[in-house]
C-alpha cells in the first residue's frame, strides 16, 4: 500500500525554514542585535526552530541505507563550506575554510549524519533508557567545552530531539493534531512563551548560548552562569513544548504554493546563506531599509520572497542530486 503524504509536516518544515531565514537575517545584519525587538525575536526563533527541525527529521528516520544517507549529509555540508568559502573569497578577497568545524550554517548537515549513525547503532536498546541518558548528557555537557569539531557540542545537545522523533509514531501525532483542545493548548503555549520572552527580553537573549547549543555554561552572562544546568533543562522544556505546540497547531492540508515549498527545505537551507550574504553584507540592503519600526518589519518580510524563490526547482541543485546519490550504484543489466 502506498503511503499517503502527510502535509502537516511539510507545513511545519516551511514555517521552520522561514524561521531559519529570519533568524539568519537578523544575525547577518551587523546592527541587527542592537535592536531590542530583534533580540527578542532572535531568542524566540532559536528557542524552537532547530530543535523542531531536528525532531521532525527524527520522525522520518529509517534504519535503511544509513551509510548512503550519512554520506549525503556530509557531502552537502562539504559543498556548503566550499560555496561559502568561494563567495567570501570573491566578495571580500579572504577565505576561511575548515572542513571539520561545526560553527558555520553547515553544522546541521554534519549533525544529521551523526544522528543517523548513532540512532542506527542504538536501534536495539530500550528507547526510554537512551532518551534519558541523552537528556542527561545534553544537560551536563555545558560544564565542559566539548568543542565544535563535526558540530560535536550541538550533536550532544540536540540529539534528544532527533532520537525522540525517531521513537514516536508520526501518524499518531497527526491524529493528535486534529484535536481542538490540543490546538487551544498549543496556541496558549506559543503565546505564553512569546509574551514571557518579550517581557523578559534581556533574560531571553542571555539564553542564546544555550539555545544555539554550541557553548559551555561559562559563556552565559555572569549572573546566569552558576545556574547553567538548570537553565539548560528549562530550555529543553521550552523547546520540546514549542515543538509539539507547532505540530499540533498547524493544519494537515495541502496549501497551494506553500506546502510544496515545505518539501524543499534542504535546498533553501543550502542556498540562503549565500543570498543573505550578498543582500545584507555585500549590498547593505538592511542598512537601506531599517530606518524605523516599519523598516524593521519590511526587512524581515523579505524572508518570504527569499524562501519562496529558493524553493523553486532550479535551486534543487546540488542538494537533490547529492541526497539521491548511492555509494553502491546498481550494475547495469547486460541482457538489455
Amino acid at each position: 500500500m502506498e503511503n499517503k503524504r502527510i502535509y502537516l509536516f511539510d507545513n511545519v518544515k516551511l514555517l521552520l525554514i522561514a524561521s531559519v531565514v529570519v533568524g539568519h537575517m537578523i544575525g547577518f545584519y551587523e546592527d541587527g542585535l542592537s535592536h531590542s525587538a530583534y533580540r527578542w525575536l532572535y531568542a524566540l526563533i532559536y528557542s524552537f526552530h532547530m530543535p523542531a527541525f531536528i525532531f521532525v527529521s527524527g520522525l522520518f528516520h529509517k534504519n535503511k541505507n544509513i551509510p548512503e544517507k550519512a554520506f549525503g549529509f556530509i557531502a552537502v555540508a562539504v559543498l556548503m563550506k566550499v560555496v561559502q568559502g568561494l563567495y567570501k573569497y570573491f566578495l571580500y578577497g579572504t577565505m576561511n575554510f575548515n572542513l571539520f568545524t561545526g560553527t558555520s550554517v553547515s553544522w546541521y548537515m554534519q549533525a544529521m549524519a551523526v544522528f543517523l549513525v548513532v540512532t542506527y547503532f542504538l536501534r536495539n536498546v530500550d528507547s526510554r533508557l537512551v532518551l534519558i541518558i541523552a537528556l542527561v548528557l545534553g544537560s551536563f555537557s555545558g560544564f565542559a567545552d566539548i568543542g565544535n569539531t563535526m558540530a560535536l557540542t550541538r550533536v550532544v545537545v540536540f540529539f534528544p530531539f532527533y532520537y525522540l522523533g525517531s521513537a514516536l509514531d508520526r501518524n499518531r501525532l497527526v491524529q493528535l493534531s486534529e484535536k481542538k483542545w490540543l490546538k487551544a493548548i498549543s496556541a496558549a503555549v506559543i503565546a505564553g512563551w512569546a509574551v514571557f520572552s518579550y517581557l523578559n527580553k534581556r533574560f531571553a537573549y542571555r539564553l542564546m548560548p544555550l539555545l544555539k547549543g554550541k557553548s559551555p555554561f561559562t559563556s552565559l552572562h555572569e549572573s546566569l552562569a552558576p545556574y547553567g544546568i538548570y537553565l539548560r533543562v528549562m530550555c529543553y522544556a521550552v523547546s520540546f513544548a514549542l515543538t509539539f505546540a507547532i505540530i499540533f497547531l498547524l493544519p494537515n492540508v495541502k496549501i497551494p504554493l506553500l506546502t510544496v515549498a515545505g518539501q524543499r527545505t534542504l535546498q533553501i537551507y543550502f542556498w540562503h546563506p549565500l543570498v543573505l550574504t550578498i543582500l545584507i553584507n555585500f549590498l547593505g540592503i538592511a542598512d537601506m531599509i531599517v530606518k524605523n519600526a516599519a523598516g524593521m518589519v519590511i526587512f524581515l518580510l523579505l524572508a518570504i520572497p527569499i524562501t519562496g524563490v529558493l524553493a523553486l526547482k532550479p535551486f534543487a541543485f546540488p542538494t537533490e542530486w547529492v541526497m539521491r546519490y548511492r555509494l553502491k550504484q546498481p550494475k547495469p543489466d547486460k541482457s538489455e
Side-chain angles (χ1 to χ4, degrees), residues 23 33 101 140 156 180 206 229 244 265 275 304:
L33 296 177
T101 59
F140 280 85
V156 175
K180 293 182 178 180
R206 287 177 174 175
I229 188 170
F244 284 104
T265 54
V275 174
I304 297 175

Side-chain angles (χ1 to χ4, degrees), residues 159-333:
F159 179 67
F161 294 96
Y162 186 89
Y163 189 79
L164 179 61
S166 71
L168 295 181
D169 182 353
R170 59 178 179 267
N171 292 309
R172 177 57 178 162
L173 289 180
V174 174
Q175 293 174 359
L176 290 173
S177 71
E178 297 172 353
K179 297 184 180 297
K180 293 182 178 180
W181 64 272
L182 260 181
K183 288 186 179 296
I185 292 176
S186 299
V189 167
I190 295 171
W193 176 247
V195 171
F196 174 84
S197 58
Y198 182 79
L199 295 177
N200 300 273
K201 290 190 286 290
R202 180 177 296 181
F203 170 72
Y205 183 70
R206 287 177 174 175
L207 293 176
M208 285 306 302
L210 299 180
L211 297 175
K212 288 189 173 184
K214 64 177 182 179
S215 304
F217 297 148
T218 53
S219 63
L220 289 166
H221 187 270
E222 59 183 9
S223 63
L224 300 180
Y227 309 101
I229 188 170
Y230 306 109
L231 294 174
R232 171 78 79 199
V233 172
M234 186 200 80
C235 288
Y236 269 142
V238 169
S239 295
F240 274 117
L242 293 176
T243 294
F244 284 104
I246 290 170
I247 291 174
F248 292 151
L249 194 58
L250 291 183
N252 182 29
V253 295
K254 186 176 183 179
I255 305 173
L257 300 179
L258 299 182
T259 300
V260 67
Q263 300 169 16
R264 301 172 178 174
T265 54
L266 186 59
Q267 67 189 64
I268 299 171
Y269 193 86
F270 183 92
W271 288 113
H272 85 276
L274 170 60
V275 174
L276 296 186
T277 297
I278 293 174
L279 292 178
I280 299 173
N281 301 135
F282 187 67
L283 298 178
I285 193 170
D287 294 319
M288 292 186 284
I289 295 176
V290 181
K291 303 295 184 181
N292 48 42
M296 293 174 66
V297 174
I298 293 172
F299 171 62
L300 295 183
L301 288 176
L302 290 176
I304 297 175
I306 291 173
T307 302
V309 170
L310 294 181
L312 297 176
K313 285 189 176 181
F315 292 97
F317 182 83
T319 54
E320 183 177 7
W321 177 81
V322 170
M323 295 308 292
R324 288 185 177 181
Y325 179 78
R326 291 293 178 263
L327 290 177
K328 296 181 179 179
Q329 296 289 347
K331 295 182 180 180
D333 189 350

Side-chain angles (χ1 to χ4, degrees), residues 75-205:
V76 171
V78 171
L79 284 174
M80 287 189 74
K81 287 178 178 290
V82 170
V83 170
Q84 291 168 19
L86 289 175
Y87 70 65
K88 286 181 180 179
Y89 177 77
F90 285 114
L91 293 179
Y92 308 111
T94 59
M95 180 186 292
N96 183 11
F97 184 79
N98 191 318
L99 282 176
F100 301 104
T101 59
T103 54
S104 66
V105 179
S106 61
W107 74 265
Y108 171 71
M109 305 300 166
Q110 296 169 294
M112 279 296 300
V114 179
F115 294 155
L116 281 166
V117 174
V118 173
T119 302
Y120 174 78
F121 280 110
L122 295 174
R123 65 191 183 281
N124 295 322
V125 183
D126 189 319
S127 59
R128 292 168 295 184
L129 177 62
V130 172
L131 184 60
I132 291 173
I133 294 176
L135 286 170
V136 170
L137 289 176
S139 298
F140 280 85
S141 64
F143 283 113
D145 190 352
I146 302 175
N148 280 298
T149 300
M150 288 298 293
L152 182 57
T153 301
R154 280 166 159 160
V155 165
V156 175
V157 171
F158 289 121
F159 179 67
F161 294 96
Y162 186 89
Y163 189 79
L164 179 61
S166 71
L168 295 181
D169 182 353
R170 59 178 179 267
N171 292 309
R172 177 57 178 162
L173 289 180
V174 174
Q175 293 174 359
L176 290 173
S177 71
E178 297 172 353
K179 297 184 180 297
K180 293 182 178 180
W181 64 272
L182 260 181
K183 288 186 179 296
I185 292 176
S186 299
V189 167
I190 295 171
W193 176 247
V195 171
F196 174 84
S197 58
Y198 182 79
L199 295 177
N200 300 273
K201 290 190 286 290
R202 180 177 296 181
F203 170 72
Y205 183 70

